[in-house]
Amino acid sequence: PGRGRGKVTVRYDRRELRKRLHLEEWILAQLTALYDCREEEIPELEIDVDELLDMESDGARSARVQEILVDCYKPTEAFVGDLLEKIRGMQKLNTPQKK
């Protein structure tokens, strides 16, 4: 008693969060297909969307994702192309938006 409730002063753009969640779910589904395994058996990989968004070109992004997937025995070109298409126009989530 006697303590006031705090207010949230910084919010993330919910639409961007939703897009990011859908993208991460899509990436997981694609990786399970590429590695032909269940989700929990996927090798320890980190595809950092914010890192990709920081890169200057699609060529650099593509090279980075190919580097991450170097031990995948299936062709990864379609996945990489689709991933680059999906992140085009996305915003980084590192910095919350002030409302």
Side-chain angles (χ1 to χ4, degrees):
R3 291 179 86 178
R5 293 188 177 189
K7 290 186 176 183
V8 176
T9 57
V10 178
R11 297 183 189 170
Y12 288 97
D13 180 349
R14 288 178 191 249
R15 188 176 17 208
E16 278 300 315
L17 284 173
R18 202 171 301 118
K19 281 170 49 177
R20 185 66 63 101
L21 179 61
H22 290 307
L23 177 65
E24 290 183 7
E25 290 170 347
W26 178 84
I27 289 172
L28 273 176
Q30 296 299 306
L31 290 177
T32 19
L34 281 173
Y35 283 91
D36 203 18
C37 64
R38 294 190 308 242
E39 184 178 320
E40 56 274 1
E41 297 170 339
I42 296 173
E44 194 69 28
L45 301 172
E46 184 176 346
I47 297 176
D48 184 344
V49 175
D50 288 326
E51 175 191 3
L52 296 176
L53 290 172
D54 276 341
M55 293 180 168
E56 293 293 320
S57 68
D58 278 352
R61 292 180 188 105
S62 176
R64 177 66 181 128
V65 177
Q66 293 285 0
E67 179 184 309
I68 293 169
L69 301 175
V70 71
D71 61 346
C72 183
Y73 64 91
K74 288 186 176 181
T76 58
E77 291 80 13
F79 167 72
V80 173
D82 290 346
L83 175 62
L84 296 183
E85 186 65 34
K86 287 180 180 297
I87 68 170
R88 196 165 284 123
M90 288 185 90
Q91 299 173 7
K92 288 179 59 173
L93 292 182
N94 289 348
T95 309
Q97 305 285 323
K98 289 191 177 182
K99 294 277 181 176

